[in-house]
């Protein structure tokens, strides 16, 4: 056997093994990048959902206070259940205004958390 054929018979399987491991490494890197981009997209969706839910909740409570509670209060016809609901709605309107939303979003929405097990 010539020396070139001998080196080819040894070199080709080794090159094939290196190529396979290189492809697996490249594939793992690409999957990690895709997973990271997917996680970022989910974080952005979650941030928008939290903001939308907060706005909707405040709007509905404000509408209830204006349409139902204020007319009953001005007519002196509020009973205990209506007072209780009005108080809860007032907390729902005032409380979100004093929450430090930048801190909440930065630490609880945007930061990656521990995976569930």
């Amino acid at each position: 056997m010539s020396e070139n054929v001998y080196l080819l018979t040894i070199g080709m399987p080794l090159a094939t093994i290196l190529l396979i491991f290189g492809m697996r490494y490249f594939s793992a890197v690409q999957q990690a990048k895709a997973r990271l981009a997917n996680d970022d997209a989910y974080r952005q969706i979650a941030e928008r959902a939290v903001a939308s839910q907060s706005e909707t909740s405040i709007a509905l409570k404000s509408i209830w206070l204006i349409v139902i509670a204020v007319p009953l209060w001005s007519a002196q016809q509020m009973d205990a259940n209506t007072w209780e609901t009005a108080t809860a709605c007032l907390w729902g309107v005032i409380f979100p205004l004093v929450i430090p939303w930048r801190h909440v979003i930065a630490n609880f929405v945007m930061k990656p958390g521990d995976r569930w097990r």
Side-chain angles (χ1 to χ4, degrees):
M1 233 180 2
S2 74
E3 188 176 320
N4 291 337
V5 173
Y6 177 73
L7 291 176
L8 279 175
T9 57
I10 292 177
M12 291 302 266
L14 291 176
T16 304
I17 291 171
L18 287 175
L19 183 66
I20 290 171
F21 281 113
M23 289 171 53
R24 288 186 65 193
Y25 174 76
F26 180 74
S27 172
V29 168
Q30 293 302 321
Q31 287 176 357
K33 286 181 183 179
R35 211 174 289 131
L36 179 64
N38 196 17
D39 289 347
D40 288 339
Y42 279 130
R43 281 192 196 98
Q44 290 174 354
I45 290 171
E47 180 182 342
R48 280 189 252 136
V50 166
S52 174
Q53 185 178 10
S54 176
E55 291 171 4
T56 304
S57 173
I58 292 172
L60 289 174
K61 289 176 182 180
S62 299
I63 290 170
W64 187 89
L65 285 169
I66 293 168
V67 172
I68 296 175
V70 171
L72 287 175
W73 177 72
S74 63
Q76 306 275 330
Q77 295 178 350
M78 288 188 63
D79 59 352
N81 290 333
T82 310
W83 272 112
E84 185 179 336
T85 305
T87 305
C89 285
L90 279 171
W91 278 109
V93 171
I94 294 171
F95 191 66
L97 297 176
V98 297
I99 293 176
W101 287 109
R102 286 186 188 151
H103 174 75
V104 170
I105 291 172
N107 289 311
F108 301 113
V109 176
M110 297 302 286
K111 262 189 186 175
D114 294 335
R115 293 220 178 254
W116 291 6
R117 295 174 195 196

